[in-house]
Amino acid sequence: MKPALQLIAILMFAATSSAQPLAQGGGSPQVTPMSLEDALTIAEAKSEQVAIARAGVTRADQEKKRARSERFPQLGGLASYDRTLASEFSGLFEDAGGEGEDSGFEDLPFGRKNIWRVGLLFSQALYTGGRISALERIAAAGQEVASVEVASARATLGLDVIRAYYDVVLSDRLVTIAEAALAQADAAYQQTTLAYQAGTQPEFEQLRAQVERDNQRPILIRRKSDRDLAYLRLKQLLELPASTTLQLTAALDGLTLPIPDRFATQVALAEKAATENQPETLLRAPVRQAENGIRASDAAVSLARSARLPNVNVNSSYGNVIYPGGFFPEASQFRTNWTIGVGVQVPILTGGRLKAEQAIALADKQVAELRLKQTRELVELDTRAAYEELRSAMAAWEASAGTVTQAARAHQIAEVRYKQGISTQLELSDSRLALEFAEANRALAGRDLQVARARVALLPDLPLGTAPAPAPLLSPPPAATTPIRPAAPTVRAAALNGIGQ
């Protein structure tokens, strides 16, 4: 199926799933398979933040057109009607001519009761001291900033969706691990119960197996709760109804972890750079925005300076006026006025306003230059941190490659030894706990690697402060336990809550 048709099918399902959550036969809810590419496409199509950023681009484009329009001739029309209610000229010219005599002033506009005007006004800027070009440069800088904001909004949304998507995949995997651990603990309990009933195991061993099995139940409940919250977070980003049943197609338990097709080229280069510990020098979005800020401040300085220079305009006014005796005019009575001229405006005394405006523009320029320097320093640190995170995630994924297989083999051996009576239940419990740790570590390393890959791929357009966070929807362990990552308790102890309790 083509991506466009697949997207339409997903959107149609999202619109109808809340009204028809069950199949027509009354069976289980309809399940929608969703790949990462589907999730990114849906999220971008529905994102208000991306739509706001795109509206900003439209606005910036029109701002640039408005600034450029001042270079072209301006032509406007006017039409007006005036009704004179009282005038100092009323009766003046009748008295001057005497009673019943023609004064010769009856066509003059003074004191007329009805006045109609129709005309055109024309102006063309000849010289503005650089004001128009400065406005154009400010608008062009704003246009560039708006474009950067669109790319930044899309990248931020993409990273959020990828995090939420793999948080769901991780939570699904942890639920599976918890279910398997409970099944193993229950099998051990059943075996111990049979041995106790046969008289080959003491009651203590049966009680110990029962406690270990029952301790796994709240862990599974917590895992399922975390999974439900992860799904809700993903549906919120995709603006899908909460009743929608999703089935994500990605997995974290395989021998390999495929790179998403959208980021394949960028990730391949980034992983090579991370392996060689040579981060790429990227022109990041914050730097591009800061550079456009300097361009805008330069133009603002020119704009402030242009206010001191003369403005020269050519103006023309063409109009027809009529003073009818009645309300409605006659076309033959119109009189024409037409003027053309050149106007020059020069500021002479402004009370220090122009000097202050220029000083403000220079200060703003200095701030923009310092902000660019500061942004470059922060971007360099953020970029190195992103590549270091990718390198660390790659190492963790590779280190966990054989651990699950080894732990599973050790647990199988422990089960055989326990069934044959040559090992203790403690050995079996330890092997099961080690298997849980290995499987959870493997899934966690996969989630971290995929998120780190996405962050580095999106890094050119990401704003500062978008470091990959731990899975936020996995609750922390209720009590102290063996840490999965001994580096820092806040890094990812939450991902393995309850294991070993």
Side-chain angles (χ1 to χ4, degrees):
M1 182 182 292
K2 295 182 179 179
L5 296 178
Q6 188 176 7
L7 174 58
I8 293 173
I10 294 173
L11 292 177
M12 290 177 63
F13 170 77
T16 59
S17 59
S18 58
Q20 299 177 347
L22 300 178
Q24 292 181 358
S28 59
Q30 185 178 358
V31 178
T32 301
M34 179 172 291
S35 66
L36 177 61
E37 186 65 29
D38 294 334
L40 292 171
T41 303
I42 294 173
E44 186 172 327
K46 294 187 175 183
S47 172
E48 292 86 359
Q49 198 61 38
V50 174
I52 291 172
R54 286 173 175 162
V57 171
T58 302
R59 184 182 187 280
D61 291 342
Q62 301 309 312
E63 289 283 355
K64 186 174 182 180
K65 290 181 180 179
R66 182 171 67 176
R68 189 174 64 246
S69 68
E70 295 195 31
R71 292 187 177 276
F72 302 108
Q74 309 294 311
L75 181 65
L78 62 90
S80 67
Y81 167 76
D82 295 323
R83 174 69 177 184
T84 304
L85 302 179
S87 172
E88 61 183 300
F89 302 105
S90 298
L92 177 62
F93 300 107
E94 288 83 351
D95 295 341
E99 185 177 356
E101 296 183 7
D102 187 0
S103 63
F105 298 103
E106 58 275 2
D107 292 331
L108 293 178
F110 305 109
R112 294 298 179 179
K113 293 182 178 181
N114 302 295
I115 304 175
W116 291 85
R117 292 187 179 90
V118 179
L120 297 173
L121 297 176
F122 169 86
S123 66
Q124 171 65 58
L126 299 181
Y127 177 75
T128 62
R131 181 180 64 85
I132 296 178
S133 60
L135 290 174
E136 288 178 334
R137 283 185 286 150
I138 292 174
Q143 192 178 37
E144 291 293 330
V145 169
S147 299
V148 172
E149 288 177 350
V150 170
S152 182
R154 294 179 60 189
T156 302
L157 175 67
L159 185 59
D160 289 342
V161 171
I162 290 168
R163 285 174 179 167
Y165 186 91
Y166 282 106
D167 284 345
V168 171
V169 178
L170 174 61
S171 63
D172 273 336
R173 179 59 181 155
L174 293 180
V175 167
T176 302
I177 294 172
E179 290 175 340
L182 177 59
Q184 292 169 357
D186 184 66
Y189 167 70
Q190 298 296 337
Q191 181 181 353
T192 306
T193 299
L194 292 176
Y196 168 68
Q197 293 174 350
T200 59
Q201 289 284 0
E203 183 182 5
F204 172 77
E205 292 295 330
Q206 183 198 27
L207 292 175
R208 180 188 179 94
Q210 183 178 1
V211 170
E212 288 191 1
R213 182 200 65 179
D214 293 342
N215 280 340
Q216 288 292 331
R217 298 188 189 277
I219 295 175
L220 178 59
I221 293 172
R222 255 195 325 272
R223 295 296 190 205
K224 290 183 176 180
S225 177
D226 292 336
R227 179 184 63 181
D228 292 341
L229 292 174
Y231 270 104
L232 287 175
R233 172 59 178 161
L234 179 60
K235 292 173 188 177
Q236 179 190 20
L237 285 173
L238 303 183
E239 297 190 11
L240 297 176
S243 59
T244 305
T245 303
L246 299 177
Q247 182 179 9
L248 306 190
T249 58
L252 296 174
D253 56 348
L255 297 177
T256 60
L257 201 61
I259 301 173
D261 294 338
R262 179 178 291 205
F263 311 122
T265 303
Q266 300 95 316
V267 170
L269 296 175
E271 288 186 346
K272 179 180 179 181
T275 302
E276 299 172 354
N277 198 19
Q278 294 180 350
E280 294 184 79
T281 301
L282 303 174
L283 184 58
R284 297 276 302 273
V287 174
R288 300 200 300 272
Q289 288 181 316
E291 289 175 345
N292 281 302
I294 289 184
R295 296 189 186 99
S297 62
D298 282 336
V301 171
S302 300
L303 182 62
R305 288 173 178 167
S306 69
R308 293 180 173 273
L309 302 176
N311 281 278
V312 183
N313 294 276
V314 58
N315 303 290
S316 180
S317 175
Y318 176 86
N320 288 317
V321 63
I322 188 173
Y323 313 103
F327 177 78
F328 294 103
E330 296 181 6
S332 59
Q333 296 177 324
F334 276 105
R335 297 175 179 272
T336 300
N337 292 317
W338 192 0
T339 63
I340 188 170
V342 177
V344 179
Q345 289 182 326
V346 181
I348 298 176
L349 181 63
T350 62
R353 177 178 58 83
L354 297 182
K355 183 178 180 180
E357 289 176 353
Q358 188 171 349
I360 291 172
L362 289 172
D364 289 342
K365 179 182 177 181
Q366 184 180 11
V367 170
E369 291 173 346
L370 293 173
R371 187 167 293 152
L372 174 60
K373 180 180 177 182
Q374 182 185 49
T375 302
R376 283 174 173 165
E377 294 171 354
L378 294 174
V379 161
E380 182 179 1
L381 177 62
D382 189 67
T383 301
R384 288 187 173 275
Y387 275 87
E388 180 61 28
E389 183 71 22
L390 176 61
R391 190 174 67 84
S392 175
M394 292 168 59
W397 172 256
E398 292 172 359
S400 65
T403 307
V404 175
T405 302
Q406 296 167 0
R409 179 59 179 162
H411 183 258
Q412 291 174 355
I413 295 173
E415 283 184 321
V416 173
R417 286 167 56 85
Y418 183 73
K419 290 178 180 179
Q420 295 177 352
I422 59 177
S423 69
T424 64
Q425 189 182 28
L426 180 61
E427 179 181 310
L428 179 62
S429 299
D430 287 343
S431 66
R432 186 177 63 249
L433 179 61
L435 178 59
E436 282 189 76
F437 271 123
E439 290 177 334
N441 265 328
R442 181 66 169 171
L444 192 58
R447 181 264 182 193
D448 288 349
L449 178 56
Q450 292 294 60
V451 173
R453 283 171 168 175
R455 185 193 175 201
V456 172
L458 296 170
L459 202 59
D461 295 323
L462 283 176
L464 293 173
T466 53
L473 299 176
L474 300 177
S475 55
T481 184
T482 305
I484 296 303
R485 297 184 183 175
T490 58
V491 172
R492 205 59 101 252
L496 298 161
N497 69 84
I499 291 181
Q501 298 302 310

